[in-house]
Amino acid sequence: MIKDKSVLALIPARGGSKGIVRKNLRDVAGKPLIAWTIEQAKQSKYIDKLILSSDDQEIISVAKEWGCEVPFVRPDHLAQDDSLTIDTIIHAIDHLPNYDLIVLLQPTSPLRNAEDIDTCIEICLEKQAKACVSVCEASKSPFWMFTLDQEQKMKPLIPFENEQTNRHNLPKAYVLNGAVYVSYTDWVYRNKSFLEMKPSPI
């Protein structure tokens, strides 16, 4: 809890991953991949309840072994290749509606730490933001990216006035790194997104 606000953390981990089969259970430095996220969440100063959303009994079993609660089994229609994470979040909120903030922690981002999680939560409250997400600086600037038209002619993805601009003078660009998403529960429930209203980045 932080400033009288209760915090629910959700780890989504379906069983049917195609890119890397059974990725959430793969050994990473001596632990199942999902265990890293569970341990980080349990070290947070603010998370009141940590839960898993999964359709897979083996993932559920491993998560429980590492101290994560599993209050429900994710229904099959929310565990397909084309299922949206936001629908999984809404499903979790429907089951546990009485939390002020929700934190989404994807198990495929194991390099975050508890401080990253807590800082994101703190920023959300201190900046009076509806949501806060973790980002990293983009390795390539979108100002140097192009599209091709029907005649195969290059056009800047983001038009800018001076094509001779030194890359060091271009504005910095950032990308979501997938590590931490925080939002007020009622806000993300209504907007179905962590990003719609310019969330504060960390």
Side-chain angles (χ1 to χ4, degrees):
M1 185 167 283
I2 176 173
K3 296 183 179 179
D4 297 323
K5 304 295 184 185
S6 56
V7 182
L8 172 69
L10 169 66
I11 300 175
R14 69 187 185 93
S17 56
K18 295 291 193 296
I20 301 176
V21 178
R22 310 299 290 164
K23 66 184 176 186
N24 292 306
L25 299 177
R26 290 291 185 96
D27 185 280
V28 177
K31 302 175 188 176
L33 177 62
I34 197 169
W36 291 93
T37 296
I38 293 171
E39 287 190 332
Q40 293 152 5
K42 289 176 72 67
Q43 292 167 7
S44 165
K45 296 183 294 185
Y46 305 128
I47 291 173
D48 298 295
K49 190 177 188 69
L50 170 65
I51 66 168
L52 173 82
S53 174
S54 182
D55 62 315
D56 186 278
Q57 288 299 325
E58 186 179 7
I59 294 175
I60 289 171
S61 178
V62 170
K64 287 180 176 178
E65 288 175 11
W66 286 88
C68 185
E69 295 185 47
V70 187
F72 53 79
V73 176
R74 192 194 306 186
D76 289 341
H77 74 276
L78 294 178
Q80 304 304 310
D81 290 341
D82 58 352
S83 297
L84 301 177
T85 301
I86 190 63
D87 292 331
T88 296
I89 295 167
I90 298 304
H91 177 259
I93 294 172
D94 282 337
H95 278 78
L96 298 163
N98 298 317
Y99 287 85
D100 299 300
L101 295 164
I102 187 161
V103 180
L104 175 69
L105 301 171
Q106 300 182 120
T108 47
S109 297
L111 299 182
R112 80 174 78 73
N113 55 41
E115 184 179 356
D116 295 329
I117 298 169
D118 288 345
T119 299
C120 229
I121 295 170
E122 289 167 357
I123 288 174
C124 205
L125 271 70
E126 290 171 3
K127 301 292 185 180
Q128 297 183 334
K130 298 300 184 184
C132 180
V133 298
S134 59
V135 299
C136 59
E137 190 172 345
S139 59
K140 296 184 183 297
S141 172
F143 288 93
W144 291 108
M145 295 181 182
F146 300 85
T147 60
L148 294 176
D149 64 18
Q150 293 180 343
E151 297 178 355
Q152 299 299 295
K153 292 180 180 179
M154 293 174 60
K155 292 187 176 182
L157 183 64
I158 302 175
F160 57 98
E161 293 181 3
N162 185 0
E163 293 183 5
Q164 305 303 318
T165 300
N166 187 296
R167 66 185 177 87
H168 297 294
N169 295 327
L170 292 171
K172 289 185 178 181
Y174 297 88
V175 295
L176 297 172
N177 63 20
V180 187
Y181 297 80
V182 177
S183 175
Y184 280 89
T185 304
D186 58 352
W187 187 88
V188 76
Y189 194 95
R190 290 195 311 271
N191 290 278
K192 308 294 189 290
S193 174
F194 286 90
L195 302 172
E196 189 172 326
M197 292 179 67
K198 299 179 181 179
S200 298
I202 176 176

